[in-house]
Amino acid sequence: MDTQNLKAFQSVAEFASFSAAADALHLTQSAVSKRIATLEQQLNCRLFDRIGRTISLTEAGRTLLPRAKRILREVSDTQRLITDLSGCVRGHLQLATSHHIGLHHLPALLRKFSQQFPDVTLDLDFLGSEKASDAVLHGHVELAIVTLSPIWDKHLQYHSIWPDPLQFVAAPDHALVQRPTLKFEDLSRYPAILPSLNTYTTTLIKRLFDERQLPLYLTMATDYLETIKMMVSIGLGWSVLPETIIDNQLTVLNIKGQPATIRELGCVYHGERSISNAARAFLQLLLENKKS
């Protein structure tokens, strides 16, 4: 069973699209279709139902998918282990991170890494922290640099690198800014603009309101912090943002009895899989950055 055919099958299954799979694999759509047809001939069964433009896995396809992922992961791990026996730092390094971390914390580290290890090709995916951690868990990327979850998965290893203090903010002319001191009750009466509810950051903020049995009036949600900053700066609501992006477009709100709100940014990798020399070198750079 050819691993290239399995890669095509996995990609079509994940995208539910031959054209999207072809783009992801840098192949033509006909080449992807040919690989799927070859695999179906080898297994003597149909793997996808094609109804109009809708593609879905057959029962055989659903049975094959987790096994195909495991086979491809084992092949990739084996190739990496053999390459790493030489001790050289080279090959591909798959990283995932959020837009905020990628913009505000990683540029200098990525530059330093690429200068020190020019034989490593960086493959950087921008994902939400939750999806990035999930990508590590399922073997799609080696390292994720993310907002760390308050609940740690037993299969993953976590390193806190940067404390990320958060502040409640609003536009300078927002009604909340006119008050010298505020309570959480005051905030609950005005719309908030925060990341989506399933994010670690909004979970943290919602807990503060739940503890006080107060509603959180969430009107708009986006996971792009720069977009939230813009919407808050024009008066559409209040928010909670990292100190690193707060400037004179925003005013920090003085909330009575507000506990320190700090999230941790750091690195996640799978604790039960070996990581490549390249991943190990990047992790070392991250930990050195923490010390400095």
Side-chain angles (χ1 to χ4, degrees):
M1 197 178 295
D2 193 310
T3 57
Q4 297 304 316
N5 295 341
L6 287 177
K7 285 181 182 179
F9 165 72
Q10 178 182 322
S11 190
V12 172
E14 290 179 349
F15 287 105
S17 165
F18 279 79
S19 59
D23 289 341
L25 295 171
H26 306 292
L27 296 170
T28 63
Q29 186 171 337
S30 61
V32 171
S33 297
K34 185 175 180 180
R35 291 184 181 187
I36 298 301
T38 300
L39 188 57
E40 289 178 328
Q41 289 172 4
Q42 290 174 336
L43 296 173
N44 194 30
C45 64
R46 192 170 67 247
L47 297 172
F48 294 99
D49 282 326
R50 304 163 179 83
I51 303 173
R53 295 187 177 183
T54 302
I55 297 170
S56 59
L57 287 166
T58 63
E59 184 176 355
R62 290 192 297 272
T63 301
L64 176 61
L65 184 58
R67 291 163 175 80
K69 289 181 177 179
R70 186 164 61 246
I71 290 168
L72 292 171
R73 187 165 57 243
E74 289 291 338
V75 170
S76 177
D77 287 348
T78 301
Q79 290 173 333
R80 187 177 66 244
L81 285 170
I82 291 173
T83 299
D84 286 350
L85 289 175
S86 66
C88 296
V89 180
R90 61 188 183 190
H92 278 79
L93 174 57
Q94 291 179 295
L95 302 173
T97 192
S98 67
H99 283 86
H100 172 68
I101 295 174
L103 285 172
H104 296 279
H105 293 277
L106 285 186
L109 282 170
L110 291 171
R111 184 186 303 112
K112 185 175 181 179
F113 182 83
S114 63
Q115 290 171 347
Q116 289 187 6
F117 306 104
D119 293 330
V120 176
T121 301
L122 286 170
D123 186 354
L124 185 60
D125 284 336
F126 286 96
L127 302 170
S129 293
E130 299 74 24
K131 289 184 178 179
S133 297
D134 194 57
V136 172
L137 186 64
H138 291 94
H140 299 313
V141 298
E142 281 197 84
L143 299 176
I145 302 91
V146 295
T147 302
L148 298 182
S149 170
I151 302 173
W152 289 8
D153 189 291
K154 64 180 181 180
H155 300 293
L156 300 178
Q157 294 290 318
Y158 300 83
H159 289 281
S160 177
I161 307 296
W162 305 284
D164 196 35
L166 304 172
Q167 295 285 0
F168 287 78
V169 294
D173 58 352
H174 193 283
L176 288 169
V177 174
Q178 312 311 314
R179 305 186 185 189
T181 59
L182 294 164
K183 297 180 181 180
F184 280 92
E185 288 90 337
D186 299 319
L187 269 68
S188 70
R189 299 189 186 102
Y190 291 88
I193 305 171
L194 294 167
S196 52
L197 283 171
N198 64 339
T199 60
Y200 302 143
T201 300
T202 301
T203 298
L204 177 67
I205 302 308
K206 189 174 186 304
R207 187 181 301 133
L208 293 175
F209 283 79
D210 289 345
E211 288 170 353
R212 295 162 175 79
Q213 298 182 322
L214 293 170
L216 180 59
Y217 183 16
L218 185 60
T219 56
M220 287 179 275
T222 173
D223 293 343
Y224 297 100
L225 298 187
E226 296 291 344
T227 302
I228 292 177
K229 177 184 173 182
M230 179 276 294
M231 290 192 290
V232 172
S233 71
I234 61 175
L236 298 183
W238 61 266
S239 189
V240 180
L241 291 171
E243 289 181 355
T244 51
I245 67 171
I246 296 174
D247 56 23
N248 58 10
Q249 297 179 71
L250 304 172
T251 298
V252 174
L253 301 175
N254 181 19
I255 303 172
K256 185 178 181 180
Q258 175 195 339
T261 308
I262 300 175
R263 61 182 189 174
E264 294 292 329
L265 310 180
C267 183
V268 180
Y269 60 94
H270 206 295
E272 297 168 7
R273 297 191 188 113
S274 60
I275 61 174
S276 65
N277 289 348
R280 196 172 291 110
F282 194 86
L283 178 59
Q284 184 62 37
L285 272 183
L286 283 168
L287 295 176
E288 288 173 1
N289 183 266
K290 176 181 179 179
K291 293 175 185 176
S292 61

